[in-house]
Amino acid sequence: MIQLPAMMRRRPKIQSLLYSALGPGLALMALLAIAAYAMLGPTGILAWSDYKTGLAEREIELAKLQEERDALRNRARLLDGDRVDPDLAGEMMRKELGVAAPDEIIVPLDE
């Protein structure tokens, strides 16, 4: 039987070692990529504070819009066709037509 030099015998051993480490190495790289995305991605842990800030701003905006909606709902209720509020109707007519009686004092309101 012919005996191979030591270098020839080791090469397949190193190759098999590299091939056996390739699968776990790729799996580890995939896990590291997933962890990095979980930390640094647009929906990651570091973006959490931005979401909290955005949520607080939107809650303030929502409160303002709800107040505005309630005011408009009240105005629509006062202008209902069956029972119109006479004061509001007179106020709107004078505002739209730009007329006022000589004895009226006009107090402008910012809307």
Side-chain angles (χ1 to χ4, degrees):
M1 181 182 252
I2 301 174
Q3 204 170 24
L4 296 172
M7 195 76 155
M8 295 284 255
R9 279 184 271 142
R10 290 186 78 175
R11 187 167 289 168
K13 203 175 208 182
I14 291 174
Q15 257 181 347
S16 67
L17 182 63
L18 286 177
Y19 284 135
S20 65
L22 186 63
L26 289 176
L28 179 63
M29 286 179 19
L31 286 175
L32 289 175
I34 291 170
Y37 186 76
M39 291 288 289
L40 305 173
T43 57
I45 294 172
L46 297 180
W48 188 258
S49 62
D50 293 338
Y51 284 124
K52 279 188 165 183
T53 304
L55 179 63
E57 291 172 359
R58 284 177 180 78
E59 284 176 347
I60 292 170
E61 183 181 353
L62 177 64
K64 288 178 184 177
L65 289 173
Q66 285 175 340
E67 286 178 19
E68 185 179 332
R69 182 197 61 201
D70 291 341
L72 289 172
R73 185 177 287 155
N74 183 42
R75 193 166 182 93
R77 185 183 54 79
L78 292 174
L79 291 173
D80 185 22
D82 295 334
R83 47 194 151 88
V84 176
D85 182 35
D87 291 333
L88 182 60
E91 174 190 332
M92 288 183 70
M93 285 190 316
R94 285 192 301 275
K95 181 179 178 183
E96 289 296 319
L97 298 174
V99 294
D103 61 342
E104 284 184 322
I105 299 173
I106 298 175
V107 179
L109 299 174
D110 294 329
E111 292 185 25

